Amino acid sequence: SGAQPPSAVGTAEGTIKLLKEGYGFIAPAAGGSNMFFFHLSLTNADFNQLSVGDRVRYDVGRNQQGPCAVDVEVLHTGAEHL
């Protein structure tokens, strides 16, 4: 009844580790390798608004290079904006 479809790998949380032009990497809260994400994967924020340390929730997907973060949702920013 509550089973996920076979294509769904799962949802995870983490923090923004590195930002480059148009993409970045997320450090998973559960540990393991950093997850690549593309700027178009963001669901509720503009890429230019992201900062290293922001907390995010994401789904684990796959691209040609391997696992990546998709449907990235910003939970809260790591820095207080005054």
Side-chain angles (χ1 to χ4, degrees):
S1 58
Q4 291 183 327
S7 60
V9 178
T11 300
E13 291 187 13
T15 56
I16 300 293
K17 173 93 174 185
L18 180 71
L19 294 169
K20 295 288 188 181
E21 185 146 343
Y23 68 94
F25 289 88
I26 298 167
S33 299
N34 292 338
M35 296 291 292
F36 171 87
F37 74 96
F38 189 56
H39 70 97
L40 295 177
S41 298
L42 293 167
T43 61
N44 70 338
D46 185 87
F47 186 79
N48 296 326
Q49 297 172 317
L50 288 180
S51 300
V52 170
D54 288 354
R55 287 190 52 227
V56 294
R57 178 183 296 124
Y58 58 93
D59 291 330
V60 178
R62 183 166 283 278
N63 65 14
Q64 296 89 340
Q65 285 76 40
C68 63
V70 296
D71 295 331
V72 179
E73 175 189 1
V74 177
L75 298 177
H76 79 84
T77 58
E80 293 294 328
H81 299 287
L82 302 175

